[in-house]
C-alpha cells in the first residue's frame, strides 16, 4: 500500500515564510517517506498512514510561530501501490504530452 498526501505548513506571518517552510520540509527527513516540494506544498509518499501522520506531525511542530496553518489532503488507496509518479503518468498518457506547460507556450 502507498499513501500519498499533499501537505502545506506555514506560519501565519507577513513576508517570507521560506525559512519556516524549509524547517517543516527538513523535519520529514527523519521519517521513511519520499517527498517533493513545489510552490504550493509538498507531496509525501509513505508505506502506511501512521508513518505519514507521524511525519506530518513533525513537520507541523517544526514551524516556529504563534500561529501555524497546516493543510493536509490524504489519498489512502488501500487496494493499490500506485505512486504519485504513476498517477501523473496516467494523466499524461491521456493528454498525450507532459502535464506541464510554461506560460507563453
Amino acid at each position: 500500500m502507498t499513501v500519498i498526501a499533499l501537505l502545506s505548513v506555514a506560519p501565519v506571518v507577513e513576508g517570507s515564510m521560506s525559512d519556516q517552510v524549509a524547517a517543516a520540509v527538513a523535519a520529514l527527513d527523519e521519517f521513511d517517506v519520499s517527498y517533493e516540494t513545489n510552490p504550493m506544498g509538498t507531496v509525501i509518499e509513505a508505506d502506511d498512514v501512521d508513518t505519514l501522520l507521524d511525519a506530518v506531525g513533525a513537520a507541523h511542530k517544526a514551524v516556529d510561530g504563534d500561529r501555524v496553518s497546516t493543510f493536509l489532503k490524504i489519498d489512502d488507496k488501500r487496494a493499490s501501490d500506485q505512486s504519485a509518479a504513476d498517477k501523473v503518468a496516467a494523466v499524461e498518457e491521456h493528454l498525450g504530452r507532459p502535464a506541464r506547460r510554461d506560460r507563453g507556450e
Side-chain angles (χ1 to χ4, degrees), residues 1-3 46-49 76-82:
M1 168 176 54
T2 301
V3 181
D47 289 336
D48 59 80
V49 73
D76 186 4
K77 197 169 183 179
R78 297 175 179 172
S80 169
D81 277 335
Q82 187 180 36

Side-chain angles (χ1 to χ4, degrees), residues 40-92:
M40 298 300 292
T42 298
V43 175
I44 306 170
E45 293 182 72
D47 289 336
D48 59 80
V49 73
D50 292 329
T51 301
L52 178 89
L53 292 173
D54 288 345
V56 166
H60 177 84
K61 291 174 186 174
V63 174
D64 185 34
D66 293 334
R67 186 174 179 188
V68 178
S69 176
T70 297
F71 170 85
L72 177 64
K73 181 179 180 180
I74 298 173
D75 182 0
D76 186 4
K77 197 169 183 179
R78 297 175 179 172
S80 169
D81 277 335
Q82 187 180 36
S83 70
D86 293 338
K87 292 175 83 154
V88 173
V91 171
E92 290 177 337

